[in-house]
Amino acid sequence: ADFDDQDGEQLPCTLNYAFVCVCLPALNGALNAFVWPAYTLHFDQQGWSLVTAGLAVTIGFILRMTTQQMQLYTGYWLIVPLNVIHLAFAVIGMLYPTTEWAVCAQIVAVQGIDPTCAVEGIAFDTFGQSEIQARQASSTVLSVFTIAVALSCTLGGFIFDFAGWFGISIYHSVCEGTLLLILIIQPACRNSFRE
């Protein structure tokens, strides 16, 4: 169904809309919260220091501030190579789920390489011909992201209960790989690089 506005202008329900306003924020939200119910339990099960777990998150959030500023400065095309790095760390976490450095690096990547700025910019560029459509797209992106974050916490706990950190890493790799593919095909991302 189309997103109606008080002025009668509608956000079109197209494949592009589905990718930009639903898939990208859903995957971004899914990647923002899935580790919360699992990572300290995994550290505890492995006998690793929880201080190290907290330090990985702290370093990740400091990195996030840096990578977001880099995206704002250079353009959101930068999220593509950053997400390649993110995917590499997700795969490393999958290959070495019982190695502390690999899991720490994975957590740093989860927290540090966040595409939220790029997703919002892509939505604005894609539907920014009209202020009404840009507002509708931004609202949809935020709503989908919020729902995905909430569901991801529960899903992360479920996956960890049944498949451990290896399962968490598979989930991470699949979501990150899918997100990367969708970012690569976005014309707004390529146009950002050209500018």
Side-chain angles (χ1 to χ4, degrees):
D2 292 335
F3 192 131
D4 291 318
D5 192 84
Q6 65 274 11
D7 295 333
E9 193 169 348
Q10 298 178 344
L11 193 60
C13 189
T14 62
L15 186 59
N16 198 33
Y17 166 81
F19 278 135
V20 172
C21 294
V22 178
C23 294
L24 283 175
L27 289 164
N28 185 28
L31 288 164
N32 265 277
F34 75 98
V35 297
W36 294 120
Y39 84 101
T40 54
L41 292 173
H42 184 61
F43 270 71
D44 190 51
Q45 286 176 351
Q46 298 299 314
W48 303 334
S49 169
L50 293 181
V51 172
T52 307
L55 187 60
V57 171
T58 301
I59 291 168
F61 277 112
I62 291 169
L63 178 62
R64 180 181 289 202
M65 291 186 312
T66 305
T67 59
Q68 285 179 342
Q69 289 303 311
M70 290 167 53
Q71 289 173 62
L72 292 173
Y73 180 74
T74 62
Y76 45 79
W77 64 268
L78 183 63
I79 199 59
V80 172
L82 288 174
N83 273 28
V84 169
I85 294 167
H86 187 155
L87 180 58
F89 283 116
V91 171
I92 287 169
M94 184 174 58
L95 296 174
Y96 303 101
T98 58
T99 306
E100 188 174 15
W101 69 265
V103 175
C104 283
Q106 184 180 10
I107 291 169
V108 168
V110 166
Q111 303 310 324
I113 302 175
D114 176 65
T116 301
C117 291
V119 170
E120 290 174 358
I122 290 168
F124 182 81
D125 280 2
T126 302
F127 298 103
Q129 315 85 314
S130 153
E131 181 183 339
I132 292 168
Q133 285 189 358
R135 277 187 295 139
Q136 292 170 354
S138 293
S139 176
T140 303
V141 165
L142 180 59
S143 297
V144 170
F145 174 78
T146 302
I147 292 166
V149 167
L151 293 174
S152 181
C153 287
T154 303
L155 185 58
F158 180 81
I159 292 168
F160 187 75
D161 279 350
F162 290 97
W165 196 259
F166 181 72
I168 287 286
S169 296
I170 290 173
Y171 172 84
H172 184 188
S173 299
V174 168
C175 287
E176 186 59 40
T178 306
L179 177 70
L180 180 60
L181 288 174
I182 295 172
L183 286 169
I184 288 170
I185 65 170
Q186 289 306 307
C189 239
R190 291 191 302 276
N191 292 339
S192 172
F193 180 72
R194 289 187 195 113
E195 293 172 3

